[in-house]
Amino acid sequence: MSFLGVEASLTGRRWVGPGVDAERSAELLVQRTGLPQAVCQVLARRGVAPEEAAGFLAPALRDLLPDPRSLQDMEKAAARFLAAVGQRQRIAIFADYDVDGGSSAALLLTWLRQMGHGATLYVPDRIDEGYGPNDEAMAALAAAHDLIVCVDCGTLSHGPVAAAAGADVVILDHHLGGETLPDALAVVNPNRQDEDGTLAHLCAAAVVFLMLVEVGRQLRDTGRKGPDLMAMLDLVALATVADVAPLIGVNRAFVRQGLKVMARRDRVGLAALVDVARMDTAPTAYHLGFLLGPRINAGGRIGQADLGARLLASDDPHEVAALAERLETLNTERRDVEAAVRAAALAQAEARGFDAPLVWASGPGWHPGVVGIVASRLKEASNRPSIVIGIEDGIGKGSGRSVSGIDLGAPIQRLAAEGLLIKGGGHKMAAGLTVAEDKLDLAMTRLGELLAKQGAHLAGPSDLTVSGLLMPGAASVELAEQIEEAGPFGAAAPAPRYVFADMQIHFAKRVGESHLKITFGDGIGARMDAICFGAYDTPLGAALEAHGGARFHLSGRLDINSWRGRQTVQLRLEDAARA
């Protein structure tokens, strides 16, 4: 049964409220723990028992951190890394160009700098070189270095690893592994096919962190001490959220502790980025995913690929100030490029139809740096796995995003094995591919067949899960802070979403190109502000702006808005329905 009878909201979704069992569990938690109702609702939805509540709300890294040696090749990788430092050997770090790759590289560079050792950073150009190691770059690095550490890439790079003759290669990655591994000295990856999957939710930066934990253990065994790893958790938190890793298990502890580290502003690069992003509150997972992450990614998407990693690793205030400003400029440019590609891709995909198991679009000259973001928009619009491909000189480079329950990475790897793709790989929820233009239609048809076997064509519009009703008078900064204590919120751990029923809109104004700001009230005095990002990319914006006095049910998440030192609660509006 739908919540408040909403079967089709303004965005076409059915609203689904908490079940009877969840409500009973929440009540039991209130009685047994004395915690606020809103917090207990979050705990109940996560399946947390009363006796587990304290540990869930204060996740301790010492209790949740896995033994690094549970991952294959870990001891070997740490020993080789430590030997390179001890023998003053030349180290190169080959990193992916996204936030996870940049954070992973920055972890190693920071650790090495504190040990008095330098390293060469190499980040491939997204357009000229593409994702991951390539033969030419690896051969050149091998000629000038003794050890190459590949972070957030390399698991499928058999040829490039073989090209690194004369140097040892260590791979620290989390992307889905193939049936065979490259001939590297060590491949540490929780998503190797011969791993049990227990740590499959880790991002690459978390894998790098675990290696540094193992390095520290080996240092202590010889009576030496390494750098403070807890002070580096800001990087692990940033990568975990930005790479959309599920916030479960140790990932929750990484993010909770990392946010505390970030709030101290010790890392000058992140502090500079926070300032250009005009963040004036303590960082949350939302800030990492939607404010900081896109700016760090901007360098790899449409600018110089290594800007993000350099910003995160540098300890020079003057250098990071310039890098942060450059990334801010690139992020603005990225939005413009993305908007143009998004409009074209949505029109093409809608013409093809949203009912197939795969929604896809391609176009000449579409910038490879924004196709992943646009694929996310297609996925949100269609509730289907989505692929967006930019074509240049007969070669298509694309990125895909999937929906819950549908594995996209494995079918794309299968297409590569079948010869329909030049290369491809990724995770269940995100993947990348390179395809010859003359095989594009055939490859997408085959991918759609494989996704149909998983039931990708059966899903209707996605349901909107809500936690319950709330009145404007009950929404407060204190309540929002209480809810945040049950976080962090993100992938696999959504923040509670409340419904404000039968509301009157007093004010509505378009903000920027596609956002909407409104003030609404219950008709008996209490009023509240709301912001709806991207409202005009859906029917929401136009309907609420031209409300004509109609009343609406409004759904979204509580947020704290800071302005000139004053904090107020606001609704981050996600959906609405006519009352």
Side-chain angles (χ1 to χ4, degrees):
M1 182 177 174
S2 58
F3 192 81
L4 292 181
V6 177
E7 292 288 343
S9 69
L10 291 178
T11 62
R13 292 183 285 186
R14 181 178 68 138
W15 290 3
V16 178
V20 174
D21 289 344
E23 291 180 335
R24 287 174 179 165
S25 297
E27 289 298 331
L28 179 62
L29 280 159
V30 170
Q31 296 168 13
R32 297 271 296 273
T33 67
L35 292 166
Q37 177 81 20
V39 174
C40 290
Q41 287 174 339
V42 176
L43 299 182
R45 198 166 69 247
R46 298 282 192 282
V48 177
E51 61 273 15
E52 299 169 336
F56 183 89
L57 293 173
L61 200 55
R62 65 177 177 274
D63 298 330
L64 295 169
L65 190 71
D67 183 351
R69 294 181 183 180
S70 65
L71 290 172
Q72 298 194 57
D73 284 357
M74 179 63 86
E75 288 181 79
K76 193 190 306 184
R80 181 64 187 91
F81 183 75
L82 196 52
V85 174
Q87 297 168 27
R88 309 299 299 175
Q89 291 182 334
R90 301 163 299 172
I91 301 174
I93 299 168
F94 193 110
D96 187 21
Y97 34 61
D98 69 358
V99 176
D100 195 12
S103 299
S104 298
L107 277 167
L108 294 177
L109 291 167
T110 301
W111 191 95
L112 287 167
R113 183 173 64 243
Q114 293 182 21
M115 292 293 286
H117 198 103
T120 300
L121 172 66
Y122 190 95
V123 183
D125 183 270
R126 184 189 289 262
I127 296 176
D128 294 339
E129 298 175 84
Y131 167 79
N134 58 80
D135 293 3
E136 184 179 350
M138 290 293 280
L141 288 173
H145 298 85
D146 305 293
L147 173 64
I148 303 172
V149 183
C150 296
V151 292
D152 198 25
C153 58
T155 300
L156 299 176
S157 303
H158 296 72
V161 170
D168 287 331
V169 178
V170 167
I171 294 170
L172 305 174
D173 194 12
H174 71 134
H175 291 90
L176 192 63
E179 293 185 7
T180 61
L181 295 170
D183 189 20
L185 177 79
V187 180
V188 184
N189 184 338
N191 286 298
R192 283 172 48 155
Q193 291 200 11
D194 53 356
E195 290 283 5
D196 63 11
T198 304
L199 300 177
H201 55 286
L202 297 182
C203 68
V207 175
V208 172
F209 183 83
L210 287 181
M211 190 200 74
L212 293 177
V213 171
E214 174 60 22
V215 167
R217 176 190 284 171
Q218 293 184 20
L219 272 174
R220 287 192 301 274
D221 288 345
T222 60
R224 293 174 291 168
K225 185 179 180 182
D228 177 13
L229 295 183
M230 295 296 287
M232 301 182 194
L233 284 174
D234 53 348
L235 294 171
V236 184
L238 175 66
T240 297
V241 174
D243 218 54
V244 203
L247 298 185
I248 58 175
V250 70
N251 282 351
R252 291 192 69 249
F254 280 147
V255 175
R256 282 290 287 266
Q257 299 301 318
L259 287 170
K260 292 177 183 176
V261 173
M262 193 178 298
R264 303 200 303 251
R265 293 175 59 93
D266 293 339
R267 190 171 304 280
V268 293
L270 276 177
L273 200 65
V274 162
D275 291 341
V276 299
R278 297 179 178 84
M279 276 175 52
D280 55 2
T281 60
T284 66
Y286 173 80
H287 295 127
L288 304 190
F290 292 94
L291 291 183
L292 301 183
R295 286 169 168 82
I296 295 168
N297 268 333
R301 291 193 186 283
I302 64 170
Q304 189 176 328
D306 65 355
L307 292 179
R310 285 167 53 200
L311 174 91
L312 296 174
S314 177
D315 61 353
D316 182 339
H318 298 293
E319 180 187 24
V320 299
L323 287 170
E325 289 291 348
R326 176 68 178 137
L327 287 169
E328 179 71 10
T329 300
L330 287 171
N331 192 49
T332 301
E333 294 175 13
R334 185 269 307 166
R335 289 194 193 104
D336 295 338
V337 173
E338 177 197 331
V341 174
R342 182 176 67 238
L346 275 169
Q348 184 185 132
E350 285 177 345
R352 192 175 281 122
F354 282 170
D355 296 329
L358 173 69
V359 170
W360 67 279
S362 67
W366 288 2
H367 200 294
V370 302
V371 293
I373 306 173
V374 176
S376 292
R377 301 293 180 264
L378 286 189
K379 178 204 74 171
E380 292 162 4
S382 64
N383 196 35
R384 295 284 193 275
S386 299
I387 303 275
V388 177
I389 299 163
I391 299 171
E392 196 76 42
D393 297 328
I395 300 295
K397 294 182 179 179
S399 189
R401 300 291 184 269
S402 193
V403 295
S404 179
I406 304 296
D407 184 342
L408 182 60
I412 281 184
Q413 265 190 234
R414 182 167 174 180
L415 257 64
E418 292 176 356
L420 290 173
L421 301 179
I422 296 170
K423 63 178 180 178
H427 320 285
K428 289 182 178 180
M429 300 299 290
L433 58 87
T434 303
V435 59
E437 185 176 9
D438 59 4
K439 289 187 177 180
L440 177 58
D441 288 335
L442 186 60
M444 293 300 100
T445 299
R446 175 63 174 146
L447 181 57
E449 292 172 356
L450 294 174
L451 292 170
K453 292 179 179 178
Q454 299 184 50
H457 59 301
L458 301 176
S462 59
D463 289 339
L464 188 80
T465 302
V466 300
S467 301
L469 291 169
L470 200 59
M471 295 296 287
S476 64
V477 170
E478 180 184 19
L479 177 62
E481 290 175 338
Q482 289 174 346
I483 292 170
E484 192 62 38
E485 285 300 306
F489 300 112
R497 187 184 287 115
Y498 295 102
V499 173
F500 293 79
D502 196 25
M503 293 292 130
Q504 180 180 357
I505 296 176
H506 298 284
F507 170 83
K509 178 184 177 183
R510 192 170 187 145
V511 180
E513 291 187 6
S514 62
H515 311 317
L516 176 72
K517 184 176 179 62
I518 68 172
T519 300
F520 65 91
D522 54 15
I524 55 175
R527 294 191 179 191
M528 186 173 171
D529 290 335
I531 183 75
C532 183
F533 295 110
Y536 292 90
D537 296 333
T538 72
L540 265 180
L544 294 179
E545 186 178 24
H547 56 83
R551 301 178 78 91
F552 291 87
H553 304 316
L554 305 174
S555 179
R557 310 174 198 269
L558 295 186
D559 200 9
I560 297 175
N561 183 42
S562 295
W563 177 249
R564 294 179 177 174
R566 179 172 173 264
Q567 289 189 328
T568 56
V569 67
Q570 70 175 3
L571 180 67
R572 203 183 313 144
L573 183 65
E574 297 178 41
D575 202 1
R578 297 187 184 278

